[in-house]
Structure formats: structure tokens, C-alpha cells
Amino acid sequence: MNVASAAPLYRGADWDFQLLQRIHDACEGIALSELGLNVYPNQIEVITAEQMLDAYSSVGMPLFYKHWSFGKHFAHHEAFYRKGLMGLAYEIVINSSPCISYLMEENTATMQTLVIAHAAFGHNHFFKNNYLFKQWTDAEGILDYLNFAKSYIAQCEEHHGQLAVERTLDAAHALMSHGVFRYPGKKALDLRAEEKRERERRSHKERSFNDLWRTVPSGPGKTATELSVDRRRSLLGLPQENILYFLEKSAPRLQSWQRELLRIVRHIAQYFYPQGLTKVMNEGTATYVHYRIMNRLHQQERISDGNFLEFLQSHTNVVFQPGFDDQRFSGFNPYALGFAMMQDIERIVTKPDDEDHEWFPDIAGNGDVMGVLRDVWANYRDESFISQFLSPRLMRHMRMFHLHDNPADSEGIRVQAIHDERGYRRVRRELARQYDVGLIEPNIEVVDVDLAGDRRLLLRHQVVNGSLLNEADAKRVLQHLADLWSYDVLLKEVDATDTVLKEHAVSPRKIAAAA
Amino acid sequence: MHIVDRRLNPGSKSLENRQRFLRRAKALVQRAVKDTSQNRSIKDVLEGGEVSIPLDGTSEPRFRRSAGTRDHVLPGNKKFIEGDVLPRSGESGGRPKEAGEGDSEDAFRFVLTREEFLDLFLDDLELPDLAKRKLAEAEHEGIRRAGYSIAGSPANLSVSRTVKLATARRIALRRPRPETIEELEAELAACDDEERRIALQAQIATLKSKIKRIPFIDPIDIRYRRFETVPKPVAQAVMFCLMDVSGSMSEHMKDLAKRFYMLLYVFLTRRYKHVEIVFIRHTDRAEEVDEETFFRGPASGGTLVSSALQAMHEIVRTRFRPADWNIYAAQSSDGDNSYSDGDVTGRILTELLLPVTQYFAYLEVSESGGPMDMPDSALWTLYQRLSNEGAPLSMRKVSDRSEIFPVFRDLFQKRGKQERATP
């Protein structure tokens, strides 16, 4: 093998800014020419542990509006951290262009190399190329948009009082997970245009405000009979699963600034939406990339054996997957699963056996590891990735098995399938389903509203596998929803045969109606 | 690629969010503070520190699924085969804890700063703004000279120091004095010898160029007077906690007394740099004890109030010279005293203690909702009489926790009016 030998990048554990630059350049050379990655420009920021905690509590973003729940998360993390129950992440990386990676000052030189390879190239490539991120996020605009959101919300607090803003944000946060579009069809997000639009909306209103018009009597409205149910529903865009969007557009008594707040929360939810769908792939990609780069650097003798051992130790910790009966078990470790699958793909592409030829006829033995992986990284999400690429060999290696727990079954939990010939496809299908967003989040839609009548909002929860909503939480979320809608809200939980299993009815609180 | 060093950025961006959270969770935190302060020693009240608040109380609701059938794919199967049935309870390593399960219901420890803790502690007692102002103004700052600095405002220019340094520099660098040149020039004018003239001219030229190179006052000579702010030395105070611990004092009464002492301690530490506490408990004889014994130690016997006062007097005499110390005393009791002790008590108070104390407060505690029409106690009657005769002595009755603060405020507002010697 042609090993281009070069002087070691560093010795020992200390680093300085020139070294970070040299490390970045060394990683970049390997990432671009050997792995063929395509990345946003990088920006590397060195921060302290306290700043890392700060960043944690505002979902990793460098600038964020003020809200008590971030303070709560900060306190929570801090308490854990102080007690030593939790280490800090080595890095946080932001899906933006330039792609910003935060590095902690406490890291050793080897850790910084690992983190740069991991975040600045692995995650960065994934953000830039995966179809979900392309479809739903706007890396160029996000930081400007957050800046706008922050100052807009601060202005609102000045104009309308912190309490009113907090109330609206609380409600919006409660519905945040139901504030995303899941299926394409809408235009891709353009956050810069968003900000401009808001400014124009406002200045238009300021220009065209004329108090006279308020006194003009409005004409006779259409009666309910004139609007057939179907027409009404299509006018309102119903059924609508994006509840925040629906409220922003149709809630009758919201003020325009409240609509804008809902819009902001919705955009942020949408921006983070792909990250939830690609946890395994995203971490797997970054881990695979750092592993390749670090090995190559070691081969080139730019990292000493000792430092390489230090790297291997961190790497092993990251991809450690305890078994289900281990004290430390807390579900599948996305780093471990993603990395293992990608290494497995590398094996299938380069050294396939008969089983692989049978299971993966398209890629087995085709020899182009990076070509296949780049294609996978670009075109899949966790669910489809697992259902396509989890191999029998890996299932055997990780000793996966499928448990089925039906509360009605008094005997206990049944082992439905294990890692054997009969079980491979079932285990793989079930594991993929665990990452299916349609099954993670309850499926709730706005189905109807009687605008001319009592304006009651009707929602529907499609119950899957007989699992109803947690009642206490549902009531509280619906309370927020009713406050925004300012009329009654009714949520029906129905099963596949349209039988209503449960109903939750909530009326708005007085104080919200007055706001 | 850019590298940015953000470490110097102001940290604690979360401070504002933290304050919002505290405001939001105020009721919860307050309850926690209250519970915590009950179990704390008086001095620790000021330390701030951890309180535990339920996460659930500030939860952010989401639509969540509850029961229903569940499917899990798990790693690490060693012995199961298809069709096995596992017990639910989790023996044999059965069902693992699900991610996210139960993590939102726990309490979490919240670390309050000293100020936050105190604010909440006092707020709980509904400290009115008036008193808050009084507490807040305790610290004074003074200004004092603190040497010289090389930067400052022109008004603070120290001429003498500057000139002194300039002189030193001129001497060190051998700057010629103008008189020397004048002398040489005079000599030159009077000189006839050609060779001597040339030498003199050269010497004068050297000196003149030297005098130009070395200025009379250089910027490096300039010094400014420097001032720094220092906390004004505030005098020290000692607080005597006197308590009757004879069998009739119940836990409730002691709790009332403790709360009163806590407030007094908070008040004094805000006002003085240094506060000592002396605990004296008494039955028919008095002893100085530590806090733990004071509030929790069992004791019984007859009651002789004068013994405590006598002990206090002894301690003042030996350890706290009234000239150096501001002396405060708070006595709590259920009011019983042996009949024969009245005169002695009154005499010690008026002759020995009241003249040296800044303030003497008497708190009569009783069971909550105790009978209203009880005749005044022996001690109360005695103190009442002394007070009527003009002794600087305040007294209140308390039977419920919520009355502690108003009583405290009463006592110390009064003090504001007849302001005695302030530290």
C-alpha cells in the first residue's frame, strides 16, 4: 500500500489554534479526495464547558430566544454534570452554512482531531447531502432566521408583556411535535425570505392602517348552509396534521404577532425534524467518517501510535452497545448501530459471501465502497436505511431479537422472532418500524371545525396498536390548543374501524380569551 | 476554514432563562426552600445551595402514547428462542426500562445562589419592601487612596510624584543642567585660547544635544493618584438567643423561636460584617450550648429566667466588650417563671443588660390556636411593667408560623423610629 509518510501533526495532548488549522487541513485532504465528501465550508469554535452546557439547553443553537424551559433544562443538565452523572458531549455541530462545530477547550489534541473528523466532515457531509435536510432545512438561512426570531420575540415581550408572550410560546411548544409537514409538496424552507416577508407584512399593515375602516359595517356573511361541509374543509385545508400551521392560518382570535410566534416555533420544529428521522444514519455517518480519517492519519504516520490508542479508546466508548440485560442498556445506541451497519456495507461491497449476494444483489461485491455509502447517506432515513441494509450477519452479531408485549396477554412478553433464518426479515422489519416517524409520534389531525356554528375544533387521533394517549398530558396539551383556538376543542381517539375509543373535550380558559 | 475562539464570550447566556425558570417555578422553589430551611442550621440559611424541586411541577406536556401493545427489538439475546414467554416484572433481566420512561417525574436538585435563596426565603415570609430596603442598604463603600497609577484622569495628576520621578530620571541619565551650559558659554565668551575654544564649543554642542534628547518631563514620569473603593468597616455584632427549654416548650414553640432567630440572624448579617451567635438555654439553670443542642436537645426542670440573663451578662462581660460589639438579644419563652424570680430578672435586665444591648426582644410563644383568654404570663406581666417604665424592650406574642414575620417587622420598625446608636 502506498503510504505517504509525513511528519506527525502533533505530540502529546496540547493544542493551539495553528494546530487546529493543520488538523483540519489534514482531515480535509482525506475527506475530500479519498472519501469524496461534499461539505459546507467549516467554522470551528472553541468553547468552555459552561458554554457547552448553555448550548445544550437551547437545543444546541448559538442564539435562541429566551424562554423558561431552556433555563429549566440548563439547571437540570448542570445538576447532573456537577454530580458527575453525565459527561459533556465532545462536540455540538450545527446544520448551517458555514457548518459550525463547537469544540470544547478541555479536549486533547487527539480528541480535537477526532471531533473535527466527526463533526466538521461526517455530520457536515450528511447535512449537506441527505435528501431530508435538503428538503426541509435551509442551512444558509438558519442563523439569520434565529437572530430574527430572537429579536422579534424580544420585541413582542416589550410590546405585549413577557407573560402574554410566554403563554403563547408555552402553547406553541406543547404542539411543537405536531408543527411539522411530514410529506413534501410544500416549497422548501427559505428562511431568509421568511424574515423579509414578515417585515413586509408589518410595514404594509403600518402603511395601510386606516382607523376609518374599522367603523364600516361588514356585509352579510355567508350562512352555514351556503358552505357545504366538504367545501369548508377544503377551504381550511383539512384534514391537517400540522396543527401549528392550521392555528396560525385559521385560529379566529389570534393577534398577528401570536401567529408570527407560532410560525417561528413551527419553522424551528421543521428545521429539526430531519434530525429526529436520521439519528442512526447521521451519527453512523459521522462515526464512520472519523474512523476512516483517523485510521488514514495513523497510516500516514501523522498520528502516533500512542495517540491512536487514545483515539481507539474514545471510539470504542462511543460505539459501545450494551446488551438488553445490561445495567447500562438504554435502547439501541445510534452511534453503534449506524457505525456497525456502515462497516457492514463496506464489507458487503468489498468481501461479500453467498448470503450477502442473496440479500444485497445490487451492491454485493461491486467494489465502490464510498460510492455506495454516499448514495445511502443521500437517499435514506433511519427507517428505510434499516429496512434495506440491516444484514443477517449483523443481526446475528448483535444478537437481535424481537419482543411483543400485549398487556391483554396475561402470560407475559412473547419472543416473536430471533436472529435465525425464520426471524431475519421480521426482526429487521420490526426494528425499522421503531424508527418510523408515523409510529413514534401519535397520529393526530385536525379534521373539522364549524366556523359558522359554535366554532368547535374537532381533532382525531388514529390509535395504533391500541395505545391511547396519556390522559393527563393530552388534557394539558389540548388546554393549550383550546387557549390558542379560543373555542372548545374535542379530540376523538378512534381505532382502525373508526370506533371512538375515547374523547377529550376542553374549553378555553377565560384569561386566554381575553388576551 | 475559520477558527473562532468563543471562550472569552460572556458565558452564562442561560442566566436570563434561569431567572425566568425560577420566576415560573417560584411556588415550587419556595416550598422547597421552606422545607430546606427547616432542617438547616441558622448559619446555613445564608449559604444558599441545593433545593430539590419536582420536575413534574414544571413539565412541558406533549401528546404521548400510554399503554397498548409494544414491540421491541433488542440486542444481546443469549438464550431465548422464538416462542419463549418472559415474565413482565423484570426478573431474569426481562423487560428493560424504556427510554424516556420515568425520567420526567423525578425531582431534580436545583442549585440556588445565596441571593436567590435568601430572596425566596424572605419572600416566603412576605418581607415588605420597606424592610427589604433596610436590609439592602446595609453595605457601605468608602474610597481610599491606594498609591499611584500610570493612567488616570488629569484631575488626579500627582505633580509632586511626577516631578520626583522626572528628577530621578534626569539624574540617572545625566541630563546636563542648564546652569552648566551657561557657565561653559560664559567661559567660552571669556576664553582666548583657540584650542580651548574648540573644545568648549564641542562640549557645549554635546550637552545641548543631550538636553534635547532627554526631556525635562517624559510621559513615563507621569503618575496619577489612584483610589480604590473599600467596604467601609462595619462593626461587629453578637446575637444572644435565649430560650426557655423547660418541659413546657413544645417542638412547635421551638420551631417558632428558631424561625425568629433565623430572621434576626439574616437581618444582622446583612447589616454587619461579622455576626456571632450565642445560644443560651435555661431551665432553672442556664448553660451555653451549640445550635443542635439548643433546638433539639431535651432538658427539663424548673424555670428560672434570671439564670439565662445572668449567663448572658457573664458572657458579655468576658467576651464581648459593649464598646466593640453591638449586642442583640432575643429571648423566647412560654412565659412561665417562678414567682420569686421576678424581681431578680427585672433587676438584671434594667441594671446590667439593657444599658449595653442595642436591642432586646422578647418573644412569647404558645401552641398554635392556643386559648385566647389566657391571663398574661408571669414574664409577660413583668416585661410589660418594665416596658411601661420606659425600658428599651420589645415584646410580642406568637402562636403561628405565619405571624413570625409580621412580628419581626413590628419589632424592627419600631427600632427605626427611635434610632439608637447606629454602627
Side-chain angles (χ1 to χ4, degrees), chain B residues 15-33:
Chain B
L15 189 65
E16 161 86 21
N17 285 332
R18 175 194 168 85
Q19 282 164 350
R20 286 182 186 213
F21 171 61
L22 266 183
R23 221 172 296 143
R24 171 94 183 191
K26 196 166 169 186
L28 289 167
V29 180
Q30 242 164 27
R31 202 180 315 138
V33 164

Side-chain angles (χ1 to χ4, degrees), chain B residues 192-386:
Chain B
D192 309 325
D193 178 7
E194 190 57 25
E195 229 168 89
R196 175 77 183 135
R197 277 178 70 97
I198 291 169
L200 276 175
Q201 268 166 354
Q203 200 179 355
I204 289 170
T206 325
L207 290 181
K208 274 191 171 160
S209 81
K210 200 164 188 179
I211 214 169
K212 259 185 210 151
R213 281 205 309 277
I214 304 173
F216 188 77
I217 287 189
D218 193 82
I220 64 168
D221 302 329
I222 294 176
R223 289 295 179 276
Y224 299 90
R225 289 186 296 272
R226 202 168 79 82
F227 298 92
E228 65 181 14
T229 54
V230 282
K232 219 173 172 182
V234 181
Q236 45 203 353
V238 57
M239 162 181 147
F240 284 88
C241 304
L242 309 173
M243 183 158 66
D244 171 6
V245 290
S246 59
S248 52
M249 286 288 283
S250 67
E251 279 307 309
H252 172 73
M253 293 171 170
K254 287 183 186 176
D255 183 54
L256 291 179
K258 179 173 181 180
R259 287 182 162 260
F260 187 79
Y261 294 134
M262 273 189 185
L263 271 177
L264 183 58
Y265 181 71
V266 167
F267 177 80
L268 293 177
T269 38
R270 286 278 171 119
R271 201 170 177 90
Y272 299 101
K273 274 274 176 266
H274 185 64
V275 180
E276 289 266 336
I277 320 180
V278 177
F279 296 100
I280 298 174
R281 65 172 193 175
H282 72 93
T283 52
D284 50 357
R285 66 197 175 78
E287 55 178 338
E288 187 185 350
V289 293
D290 61 14
E291 183 179 348
E292 186 58 24
T293 329
F294 186 70
F295 288 106
R296 314 211 195 277
S300 67
T303 313
L304 220 51
V305 173
S306 62
S307 65
L309 299 179
Q310 187 63 48
M312 173 176 165
H313 174 64
E314 263 319 292
I315 295 172
V316 168
R317 204 171 55 80
T318 51
R319 282 161 39 201
F320 303 101
R321 270 176 22 124
D324 299 336
W325 292 83
N326 293 288
I327 297 168
Y328 292 83
Q331 182 187 7
S332 60
S333 160
D334 57 355
D336 281 346
N337 195 14
S338 74
Y339 182 72
S340 60
D341 191 42
D343 280 351
V344 189
T345 307
R347 232 184 17 253
I348 299 178
L349 256 184
T350 43
E351 287 170 15
L352 298 176
L353 293 181
L354 290 178
V356 297
T357 46
Q358 292 280 87
Y359 201 64
F360 195 101
Y362 171 64
L363 195 70
E364 189 159 308
V365 290
S366 59
E367 283 302 340
S368 62
M372 300 311 266
D373 49 353
M374 279 261 284
D376 285 342
S377 68
L379 213 50
W380 183 267
T381 320
L382 169 69
Y383 283 16
Q384 189 94 59
R385 183 168 58 78
L386 292 180

Side-chain angles (χ1 to χ4, degrees), chain A residues 464-483:
Chain A
V464 184
N465 293 337
S467 87
L468 295 170
L469 294 175
N470 174 304
E471 176 144 14
D473 266 356
K475 270 266 186 300
R476 284 153 80 186
V477 178
L478 287 174
Q479 185 63 64
H480 280 306
L481 177 54
D483 292 347

Side-chain angles (χ1 to χ4, degrees), chain A residues 291-305:
Chain A
Y291 190 71
R292 287 282 299 261
I293 292 179
M294 294 301 281
N295 270 288
R296 191 86 184 100
L297 286 173
H298 181 233
Q299 254 175 24
Q300 293 173 343
E301 292 178 14
R302 307 191 74 180
I303 296 181
S304 72
D305 292 348

Side-chain angles (χ1 to χ4, degrees), chain A residues 388-443:
Chain A
Q388 289 281 315
F389 292 101
L390 184 63
S391 73
R393 179 192 278 251
L394 187 60
M395 282 183 255
R396 287 195 298 273
H397 176 70
M398 296 184 88
R399 312 189 75 87
M400 294 182 186
F401 65 118
H402 169 208
L403 290 178
H404 179 74
D405 182 7
N406 182 359
D409 182 354
S410 59
E411 277 182 82
I413 304 164
R414 194 169 293 279
V415 177
Q416 292 285 77
I418 64 161
H419 45 84
D420 62 7
E421 217 49 63
R422 280 160 49 80
Y424 292 142
R425 288 189 191 278
R426 283 187 291 163
V427 169
R428 182 161 88 169
R429 189 180 59 231
E430 277 309 320
L431 185 59
R433 278 163 63 98
Q434 280 180 23
Y435 293 94
D436 180 356
V437 68
L439 295 173
I440 302 169
E441 294 284 349
N443 180 6

